[in-house]
Amino acid sequence: MSAVSEDIAQRDRSFRDRVLEEYGGLQGILFLLPTLVLLTGIVFYPMVVNGFLLSFKQFTLNPDAVDPWVGLENYEYWLFGQGQSLFLFSLKMTLLYELVVVPFDLVVALAAALVMNESLPARPFWRGLMLAGYASPAIAAGLVWGTMEQAATYGLVYNTLNIFFDIPASGGITSNTPWAFWGVVIAKVWRDFGFMYVVFLAGVQSIPTELYEIAKVDGAGPVQRFRYITLPHLRTVIVTVVMIRTVFTVGKVAIPWAVTQGGPVNYTTFLGVAIFKSAFLNWSMGQAAALGMLFAVGIIPLILIWVRTETEDY
Amino acid sequence: MSTDTDRRFEFETDQSGWSWETHYKPVLKYISLAVLMVWMLLPVYYTFANSLKTPEMIFTQPLGIPFVTFDPVAFSGRNAWRTMWDAFPFVEYTLATFIVSVGTAGLATVAAVFAAYSFARLDYPFKNSLFVLSVAGFMFPIVLLAIPIFVLMQELGLLNTYVGMILAFTAFTLPYNIWLLRGFFEELPDNLEESARVDGCTQIGAFFRVILPLSRPALASVFLLAFLLAWHNYLMAFIIGQDPLHTTLAPALLELKGTFFVRNFHYIMAGTFLSMIVPITMYMYLQKYLVEGLSSGGGVKG
C-alpha cells in the first residue's frame, strides 16, 4: 500500500473511531490496573527489594533493625564456603530427581490417558477418580505415602517392597539412603501425574478415530498405531508439558518435606528444600536468598523458553 | 455399528487365531484400569479406613475394611473424628482454609478477568511485555517468592493474618488465572463487542453486558482452580501463618504429625482425609469445568 492511499485511509476514519482508539489504549491500561498494582506490591517489589537485594545482606530477625550489607559473602558461602558441599550435592540430587520424576510422570500419564480413552463402563466416573491424586493437597499425599513407607505393620509400601529388596527395618524407606529418594518419587508421581493426564486425555480425544480405522485396514498393529498416529499427534503437547513439569518439579517443597523432611541427613534435600530449610529453619534469610538467586539463574532460561512459545503466536 | 470393512477385518483376524482387538486388548484394558485404580485409590482408602480405627487396630489390621472386618470405633468415644474437635482445633483450621481459599480465588479471579480481557481484546503500548511480566510469576518457583513475601509481610505486620495469606496466595494464583482466561477470551468471536457497540454500548458497557455473562463457565472454572491452588498450598501458608490458629490445613497436618505421631495415628489420618476429600469431591463434581478450563485455550499448553 502506498503512502498516499494510507493517508486517505487515515483521513477517512471518523473522528469517533479515532477517539475510541485513543480511549481503547487507555481502557487497556485501566483494565490492567488492579493486576499491575497487585503484582507490583506482592511480586515485583518484594522480588527486587527483599529477594535480590537481601541476597547481599545479612538478615536479622528484628524487623526494626537495618540489615547490614555483606557484599558477596552469601554467594561465597554456597559456592566456595561451608555451604558448598550441600549446594553441589543438592544440585546433583535435584537433577536426578527431575530425570526420574518427569519421565515417570509422562509414562504413567500417557498410559492412564490411553486407558481412559477406551470404551469402559462408567467411564466419566473412572476418569474423575484418576484425578484423586492431583486433587489431594501435596502435604496430605506426602504424609500418607510417608506413613505407608514406614517399617511397621501399617507400612504397606515398605512391606511390599521388602519382599523384593532388602530394606533396613530401622526407619523404613524414608530414612535409608537410596530408598528415601524413591519414597519421595512414588509420592510425587502419585500426586502430580494428573496434570499431564488431563492434558494428554484432551490430546488423545482430539485425534480423529478414522485414522485408526484406516491404519487397521492397512494392517498396522497396536504398537505401530501408537507409534505412527498417537505419538506424532501428541508431540507438541508432550514437549510443552514436559517443560512446564520440569520447571514446576524443581521448586516444589511440600512432598519431599512431608515424606522425608529432606533426610536422611541431606539426602533428599533438593534445591527447593535447601532454600526452605535455610530460610525458615535456620533463619539465615540472606544466605537463602543468595541460593534462591543461584537457583533462579538456572530456572530463568527455562521460563524464557516457555514464555517464548506462549507468545510467538502474536 | 459394524460396516463391511469392520466385518471383513474381524473375520480376517479371527481366522488367524488370537488377535489383539478381540482377545488381548479387552483383557489388558481392564487389567490396566484395575492397576491404575488400586494405585490411585489405595492411599485414599488407607487414610479413610485408618481414621476410623484405634491406634492398636491400625497396627493389627492396617487394611481392614470399615464395618466389614472391624467395627468402627464410632460410638465408643475413641473415634478420631469426634475426639479431633477437642484434641486439635480442626474446625478452626478448616474454616481458615476455606476463608483464605475463597478470598484468594475471589481476588485473583476479579483482577484476572480485567487483565486477561485487556490482553486478549484491547490494544495498548507494551502489551506483550506486560503480559509476559504478569504471567511469568506463574512459572516462577514458589520457594523463590516465599522469602521476599515473608519479609514484606513481616514489614507490613501482616504475618498471621488472613489478609496476608490471601495476598501471598494471590501472588501465584493471579498469573495462572490471567493465563487461562486470556486463552478463553481469545477464542470468543471477534464481532461480539462490535455488535454491542453498534447497539449503542460503550466498550466497557460491552464488556460488562456481553462478555462477562458469556464467560461465566470460564470464570467458574478459573475460580475453582484458584480455590484449589490455595487449598493445596503448603509453603506460603506455613511461612505466613506461623501462629497455629491462623494457618491452613496443610501446615496444620504436618504440625499434627510432629505433635503426636504413633500414639494418635488415627487423628493424622482423619485430618489428612478431611484435607483430601474436600478437593477430591470438588474435582469429581466439577470435573467437566475443570478439565475444560485446563484444556481450553492456554490450558492445553499447560
Short mmCIF file of all heavy atoms in Angstrom, two decimals, chain B residues 194-225:
data_model
loop_
_atom_site.label_atom_id
_atom_site.label_comp_id
_atom_site.label_asym_id
_atom_site.label_seq_id
_atom_site.Cartn_x
_atom_site.Cartn_y
_atom_site.Cartn_z
N GLU B 194 -18.29 -5.55 18.79
CA GLU B 194 -18.70 -4.64 17.71
C GLU B 194 -20.20 -4.55 17.63
O GLU B 194 -20.76 -3.47 17.53
CB GLU B 194 -18.13 -5.13 16.39
CG GLU B 194 -16.74 -4.61 16.12
CD GLU B 194 -16.07 -5.36 14.98
OE1 GLU B 194 -16.78 -5.67 14.00
OE2 GLU B 194 -14.86 -5.63 15.10
N SER B 195 -20.88 -5.72 17.70
CA SER B 195 -22.33 -5.66 17.59
C SER B 195 -22.93 -4.94 18.79
O SER B 195 -23.91 -4.21 18.65
CB SER B 195 -22.94 -7.05 17.42
OG SER B 195 -22.11 -8.03 17.97
N ALA B 196 -22.32 -5.12 19.95
CA ALA B 196 -22.83 -4.41 21.12
C ALA B 196 -22.61 -2.90 20.96
O ALA B 196 -23.47 -2.10 21.34
CB ALA B 196 -22.13 -4.89 22.38
N ARG B 197 -21.48 -2.55 20.37
CA ARG B 197 -21.16 -1.13 20.17
C ARG B 197 -22.13 -0.51 19.16
O ARG B 197 -22.55 0.64 19.32
CB ARG B 197 -19.74 -0.98 19.67
CG ARG B 197 -18.70 -1.38 20.70
CD ARG B 197 -18.23 -0.22 21.50
NE ARG B 197 -17.44 0.69 20.68
CZ ARG B 197 -16.16 0.45 20.39
NH1 ARG B 197 -15.56 -0.61 20.86
NH2 ARG B 197 -15.50 1.29 19.64
N VAL B 198 -22.48 -1.28 18.13
CA VAL B 198 -23.44 -0.78 17.15
C VAL B 198 -24.77 -0.50 17.83
O VAL B 198 -25.44 0.47 17.55
CB VAL B 198 -23.62 -1.81 16.01
CG1 VAL B 198 -24.78 -1.43 15.13
CG2 VAL B 198 -22.34 -1.90 15.19
N ASP B 199 -25.10 -1.35 18.81
CA ASP B 199 -26.36 -1.16 19.54
C ASP B 199 -26.25 -0.06 20.57
O ASP B 199 -27.17 0.13 21.38
CB ASP B 199 -26.77 -2.46 20.23
CG ASP B 199 -27.19 -3.49 19.22
OD1 ASP B 199 -27.41 -3.11 18.06
OD2 ASP B 199 -27.28 -4.68 19.58
N GLY B 200 -25.13 0.65 20.62
CA GLY B 200 -25.03 1.82 21.48
C GLY B 200 -24.30 1.61 22.79
O GLY B 200 -24.32 2.49 23.65
N CYS B 201 -23.67 0.47 22.97
CA CYS B 201 -22.89 0.25 24.19
C CYS B 201 -21.52 0.92 24.07
O CYS B 201 -20.99 1.04 22.97
CB CYS B 201 -22.66 -1.24 24.40
SG CYS B 201 -23.86 -2.03 25.43
N THR B 202 -20.95 1.31 25.19
CA THR B 202 -19.54 1.71 25.17
C THR B 202 -18.71 0.44 25.25
O THR B 202 -19.25 -0.65 25.49
CB THR B 202 -19.22 2.58 26.38
OG1 THR B 202 -19.56 1.85 27.56
CG2 THR B 202 -19.99 3.89 26.34
N GLN B 203 -17.40 0.57 25.09
CA GLN B 203 -16.54 -0.61 25.17
C GLN B 203 -16.67 -1.28 26.54
O GLN B 203 -16.79 -2.49 26.66
CB GLN B 203 -15.09 -0.21 24.92
CG GLN B 203 -14.09 -1.34 25.06
CD GLN B 203 -13.54 -1.80 23.73
OE1 GLN B 203 -13.37 -1.00 22.82
NE2 GLN B 203 -13.29 -3.07 23.60
N ILE B 204 -16.65 -0.44 27.58
CA ILE B 204 -16.76 -1.00 28.93
C ILE B 204 -18.13 -1.62 29.14
O ILE B 204 -18.27 -2.70 29.72
CB ILE B 204 -16.46 0.09 29.98
CG1 ILE B 204 -14.97 0.48 29.87
CG2 ILE B 204 -16.78 -0.38 31.39
CD1 ILE B 204 -14.53 1.54 30.82
N GLY B 205 -19.16 -0.94 28.61
CA GLY B 205 -20.51 -1.47 28.70
C GLY B 205 -20.61 -2.81 28.01
O GLY B 205 -21.23 -3.75 28.53
N ALA B 206 -19.97 -2.92 26.85
CA ALA B 206 -20.00 -4.18 26.11
C ALA B 206 -19.34 -5.28 26.93
O ALA B 206 -19.81 -6.41 26.97
CB ALA B 206 -19.28 -4.02 24.77
N PHE B 207 -18.25 -4.93 27.60
CA PHE B 207 -17.56 -5.92 28.44
C PHE B 207 -18.48 -6.44 29.53
O PHE B 207 -18.62 -7.64 29.74
CB PHE B 207 -16.30 -5.29 29.04
CG PHE B 207 -15.63 -6.13 30.07
CD1 PHE B 207 -14.92 -7.26 29.70
CD2 PHE B 207 -15.71 -5.81 31.41
CE1 PHE B 207 -14.31 -8.05 30.65
CE2 PHE B 207 -15.11 -6.60 32.37
CZ PHE B 207 -14.41 -7.71 31.98
N PHE B 208 -19.15 -5.49 30.22
CA PHE B 208 -19.98 -5.94 31.34
C PHE B 208 -21.26 -6.61 30.89
O PHE B 208 -21.73 -7.53 31.54
CB PHE B 208 -20.33 -4.74 32.24
CG PHE B 208 -19.21 -4.41 33.18
CD1 PHE B 208 -18.44 -3.26 33.00
CD2 PHE B 208 -18.90 -5.24 34.24
CE1 PHE B 208 -17.40 -2.96 33.86
CE2 PHE B 208 -17.87 -4.95 35.10
CZ PHE B 208 -17.12 -3.80 34.91
N ARG B 209 -21.85 -6.14 29.76
CA ARG B 209 -23.16 -6.68 29.38
C ARG B 209 -23.08 -7.89 28.47
O ARG B 209 -23.98 -8.71 28.46
CB ARG B 209 -23.97 -5.58 28.70
CG ARG B 209 -24.44 -4.57 29.71
CD ARG B 209 -25.47 -3.63 29.19
NE ARG B 209 -25.48 -2.48 30.10
CZ ARG B 209 -25.33 -1.24 29.69
NH1 ARG B 209 -25.18 -0.97 28.42
NH2 ARG B 209 -25.34 -0.25 30.57
N VAL B 210 -21.99 -7.99 27.69
CA VAL B 210 -21.93 -9.10 26.72
C VAL B 210 -20.87 -10.12 27.11
O VAL B 210 -21.14 -11.32 27.20
CB VAL B 210 -21.65 -8.55 25.30
CG1 VAL B 210 -21.60 -9.69 24.31
CG2 VAL B 210 -22.72 -7.55 24.92
N ILE B 211 -19.66 -9.64 27.35
CA ILE B 211 -18.56 -10.59 27.54
C ILE B 211 -18.66 -11.30 28.89
O ILE B 211 -18.56 -12.53 28.96
CB ILE B 211 -17.21 -9.86 27.45
CG1 ILE B 211 -17.08 -9.13 26.12
CG2 ILE B 211 -16.06 -10.81 27.66
CD1 ILE B 211 -16.85 -10.02 24.95
N LEU B 212 -18.91 -10.55 29.95
CA LEU B 212 -18.94 -11.18 31.28
C LEU B 212 -20.00 -12.27 31.40
O LEU B 212 -19.68 -13.37 31.86
CB LEU B 212 -19.12 -10.13 32.36
CG LEU B 212 -17.86 -9.55 32.99
CD1 LEU B 212 -18.19 -8.77 34.24
CD2 LEU B 212 -16.86 -10.65 33.32
N PRO B 213 -21.25 -12.01 30.99
CA PRO B 213 -22.23 -13.10 31.10
C PRO B 213 -21.84 -14.32 30.30
O PRO B 213 -22.08 -15.45 30.73
CB PRO B 213 -23.51 -12.47 30.53
CG PRO B 213 -23.32 -11.01 30.67
CD PRO B 213 -21.86 -10.74 30.55
N LEU B 214 -21.20 -14.09 29.14
CA LEU B 214 -20.80 -15.23 28.31
C LEU B 214 -19.71 -16.06 28.97
O LEU B 214 -19.57 -17.25 28.71
CB LEU B 214 -20.27 -14.73 26.97
CG LEU B 214 -21.28 -14.57 25.86
CD1 LEU B 214 -20.61 -14.01 24.63
CD2 LEU B 214 -21.91 -15.93 25.55
N SER B 215 -18.88 -15.41 29.79
CA SER B 215 -17.72 -16.12 30.30
C SER B 215 -17.96 -16.73 31.67
O SER B 215 -17.02 -17.09 32.35
CB SER B 215 -16.51 -15.19 30.32
OG SER B 215 -16.84 -13.98 30.89
N ARG B 216 -19.22 -16.84 32.06
CA ARG B 216 -19.49 -17.38 33.39
C ARG B 216 -18.88 -18.77 33.64
O ARG B 216 -18.27 -18.99 34.68
CB ARG B 216 -21.00 -17.39 33.66
CG ARG B 216 -21.35 -16.83 35.02
CD ARG B 216 -22.83 -16.77 35.25
NE ARG B 216 -23.45 -15.68 34.52
CZ ARG B 216 -24.72 -15.67 34.10
NH1 ARG B 216 -25.49 -16.71 34.33
NH2 ARG B 216 -25.21 -14.65 33.45
N PRO B 217 -19.03 -19.73 32.69
CA PRO B 217 -18.40 -21.05 32.94
C PRO B 217 -16.88 -20.96 33.09
O PRO B 217 -16.31 -21.61 33.98
CB PRO B 217 -18.75 -21.86 31.70
CG PRO B 217 -19.76 -21.08 30.94
CD PRO B 217 -19.76 -19.68 31.43
N ALA B 218 -16.26 -20.13 32.26
CA ALA B 218 -14.80 -19.98 32.36
C ALA B 218 -14.43 -19.37 33.69
O ALA B 218 -13.47 -19.81 34.35
CB ALA B 218 -14.28 -19.11 31.22
N LEU B 219 -15.20 -18.38 34.13
CA LEU B 219 -14.92 -17.76 35.42
C LEU B 219 -15.06 -18.78 36.54
O LEU B 219 -14.25 -18.81 37.47
CB LEU B 219 -15.86 -16.59 35.68
CG LEU B 219 -15.65 -15.36 34.81
CD1 LEU B 219 -16.56 -14.23 35.24
CD2 LEU B 219 -14.21 -14.92 34.88
N ALA B 220 -16.10 -19.63 36.43
CA ALA B 220 -16.30 -20.65 37.47
C ALA B 220 -15.09 -21.58 37.54
O ALA B 220 -14.59 -21.86 38.63
CB ALA B 220 -17.56 -21.44 37.17
N SER B 221 -14.61 -22.02 36.38
CA SER B 221 -13.51 -22.98 36.43
C SER B 221 -12.23 -22.33 36.93
O SER B 221 -11.46 -22.93 37.69
CB SER B 221 -13.31 -23.65 35.07
OG SER B 221 -12.75 -22.74 34.16
N VAL B 222 -12.03 -21.06 36.55
CA VAL B 222 -10.82 -20.37 37.00
C VAL B 222 -10.88 -20.11 38.51
O VAL B 222 -9.90 -20.25 39.23
CB VAL B 222 -10.66 -19.08 36.17
CG1 VAL B 222 -9.86 -18.07 36.90
CG2 VAL B 222 -10.05 -19.40 34.85
N PHE B 223 -12.08 -19.76 38.98
CA PHE B 223 -12.28 -19.54 40.41
C PHE B 223 -11.94 -20.82 41.18
O PHE B 223 -11.24 -20.80 42.19
CB PHE B 223 -13.73 -19.12 40.67
CG PHE B 223 -14.04 -18.83 42.10
CD1 PHE B 223 -13.89 -17.55 42.61
CD2 PHE B 223 -14.50 -19.83 42.95
CE1 PHE B 223 -14.17 -17.28 43.93
CE2 PHE B 223 -14.78 -19.56 44.28
CZ PHE B 223 -14.62 -18.28 44.77
N LEU B 224 -12.46 -21.95 40.65
CA LEU B 224 -12.22 -23.22 41.33
C LEU B 224 -10.75 -23.60 41.35
O LEU B 224 -10.22 -24.07 42.36
CB LEU B 224 -12.98 -24.33 40.61
CG LEU B 224 -14.40 -24.43 41.05
CD1 LEU B 224 -15.16 -25.37 40.14
CD2 LEU B 224 -14.41 -24.98 42.47
N LEU B 225 -10.08 -23.40 40.20
CA LEU B 225 -8.66 -23.75 40.16
C LEU B 225 -7.88 -22.93 41.16
O LEU B 225 -7.00 -23.44 41.85
CB LEU B 225 -8.11 -23.55 38.75
CG LEU B 225 -8.50 -24.65 37.76
CD1 LEU B 225 -8.11 -24.26 36.35
CD2 LEU B 225 -7.85 -25.96 38.14
#
